Structure formats: C-alpha cells, structure tokens
C-alpha cells in the first residue's frame, strides 16, 4: 500500500489509508464487497462492460447501497459473449467511461474484502482497470466462493457442480437469472453467508482469503 500512499491521486491515497480488517479477525465480522464484472469473453484483454457490487457485513446485505453501471466500450464485441450477457455494442457505447467508474469502485472497495465466484476474474479486471486509469497496481484482498465451495464439498463430480447456480442450490438459496453483474454480486454475497454457516465457528479472515 506504500506506493499508493505516495501516489498523486486522492482516491488511491484514501484506499491505502482505509481501515483494513486484520487477517486474524473473525470472518463473520469483517466488512465485504461482493462484486461481479460482465466481460467481453474471458481473455486477458477482454473488455469490461458492466460492474455491479453490494456491501455487506455479517448476516446483513445492504441492498440500498447496491450499485450497477455499464462501462463504455467502442470495440467490436465478441458475439458469443454478447449472447450470454446481452450487452451489445450500442449499449456498451452509452456506458460510463472507465475513468469515471474506477474512482467510485475503489472508494467502495476501500477497507473491504472482495467476494466473488471465481474471484481471480474480478481481481484481474480491477488490476487492469487501475493500470489503465492510474498506471498503478491496486492491491485487492479477496475471498473466492468457488474455491471455498471446493474446500467445503471436495468430492463433487464435474466442474458444473461448482458453478454459482448449483452451489447456491445446495444451500437452499433461490435461483437467480445469471449474467447480470449486480444480480451475480448479490448471489455471491448470499452464497458466502451460507458458506460461513458451514465453516468452523471463529474461522478467521486469513484462513479464507486468497493469497
């Protein structure tokens, strides 16, 4: 975080100075931000098209603070990806500029642990966003609900069993329509809360965080 504190951008300085939870604190008490990106495919250069997030702590999800925004792109989008998430080139061209989205997202993530299903995708997207807008690497602390589900239920057959929908179904959570950033973020938050009820009491943040 030292390099961010020395950066010339206030949002990065605030991010570095945020009240970050200690890794030894109980996971059930830590502050989180469930987040999801919709991308133009899964390649390393895939365009960021939509982001949705919702803050939560303990058993409470603050839907009043949930937010979703389309991100501007003027690229020729991958047809297969457009079919999945429904964000076509006309809609993408009307989205907010990345340099407008990035400061708000960094503010929301300050002092919070990112929660996402297949969190490496979201972490990579944030890192690319920060590099593009500020020219820096933004450290992101995260917990992956997919990785946690594999630990909790290691013997399920097939990769489909660990997708977000099937994972939620095992905890009796309702089925949501997938591939909308905000809906998927809320779905990941609810799944994580359900997973916390299955881990040993007093499990620490450090035991669940990705390293």
């Amino acid at each position: 975080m030292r390099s961010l504190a020395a950066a010339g951008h206030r949002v990065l300085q605030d991010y570095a100075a945020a009240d970050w939870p200690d890794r030894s604190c109980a996971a059930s008490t830590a502050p989180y931000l469930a987040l999801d990106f919709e991308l133009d495919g899964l390649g390393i250069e895939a365009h960021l098209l939509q982001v949705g997030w919702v803050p939560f702590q303990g058993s409470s999800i603050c839907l009043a603070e949930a937010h979703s925004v389309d991100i501007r792109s003027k690229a020729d989008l991958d047809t297969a990806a457009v079919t999945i998430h429904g964000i076509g080139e006309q809609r993408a061209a009307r989205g907010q500029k990345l340099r407008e989205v990035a400061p708000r997202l960094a503010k929301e993530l300050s002092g919070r642990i990112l929660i996402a299903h297949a969190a490496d995708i979201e972490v990579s997207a944030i890192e690319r966003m920060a590099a593009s807008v500020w020219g820096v690497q933004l450290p992101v602390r995260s917990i992956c609900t997919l990785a946690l589900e594999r630990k909790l239920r290691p013997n399920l057959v097939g990769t489909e069993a660990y997708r977000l929908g099937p994972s939620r179904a095992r905890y009796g959570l309702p089925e949501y329509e997938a591939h909308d950033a905000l809906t998927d973020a809320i779905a990941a938050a609810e799944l994580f809360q359900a997973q916390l009820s299955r881990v040993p009491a007093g499990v620490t943040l450090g035991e669940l965080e990705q390293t």
Side-chain angles (χ1 to χ4, degrees), residues 167-181:
S167 295
R168 286 174 52 85
R170 284 190 289 274
Y171 296 91
L173 295 169
E175 182 178 357
Y176 291 158
E177 185 174 348
H179 304 300
D180 171 79

Side-chain angles (χ1 to χ4, degrees), residues 6-201:
H9 302 281
R10 179 61 182 270
V11 67
L12 298 180
Q13 295 169 347
D14 290 346
Y15 188 89
D19 184 17
W20 292 95
D22 193 276
R23 287 172 58 85
S24 64
C25 80
S28 59
T29 65
Y32 298 103
L33 188 75
L35 184 143
D36 183 78
F37 280 99
E38 292 300 326
L39 309 174
D40 177 37
L42 296 178
I44 192 170
E45 298 299 328
H47 297 275
L48 311 182
L49 300 179
Q50 185 189 43
V51 60
W53 64 75
V54 60
F56 68 102
Q57 189 167 6
S59 59
S60 175
I61 297 177
C62 190
L63 292 179
E65 296 181 27
H67 187 72
S68 176
V69 60
D70 288 352
I71 302 171
R72 183 174 302 180
S73 174
K74 296 183 178 180
D76 294 331
L77 301 181
D78 180 84
T79 303
V82 171
T83 300
I84 292 173
H85 53 58
I87 303 174
E89 292 171 7
Q90 289 186 343
R91 177 176 168 183
R94 296 192 301 266
Q96 293 186 24
K97 296 178 181 178
L98 190 62
R99 65 173 179 267
E100 297 170 347
V101 177
R104 179 165 185 183
L105 177 54
K107 181 179 179 181
E108 293 293 335
L109 191 55
S110 295
R112 295 187 174 119
I113 310 303
L114 183 150
I115 298 294
H117 205 69
D120 285 346
I121 295 174
E122 274 62 44
V123 171
S124 175
I126 291 172
E127 290 175 345
R128 289 196 289 124
M129 176 194 71
S132 174
V133 174
W134 298 300
V136 301
Q137 181 175 353
L138 191 71
V140 179
R141 295 174 60 181
S142 65
I143 294 174
C144 177
T145 53
L146 188 154
L148 182 54
E149 188 68 5
R150 287 185 180 277
K151 290 180 180 179
L152 292 172
R153 302 172 187 269
N155 299 316
L156 299 181
V157 178
T159 57
E160 292 295 316
Y162 292 101
R163 293 178 68 87
L164 182 56
S167 295
R168 286 174 52 85
R170 284 190 289 274
Y171 296 91
L173 295 169
E175 182 178 357
Y176 291 158
E177 185 174 348
H179 304 300
D180 171 79
L182 181 54
T183 302
D184 286 349
I186 294 171
E190 293 175 343
L191 173 60
F192 180 64
Q193 289 180 330
Q195 289 173 325
L196 280 181
S197 70
R198 304 298 198 277
V199 300

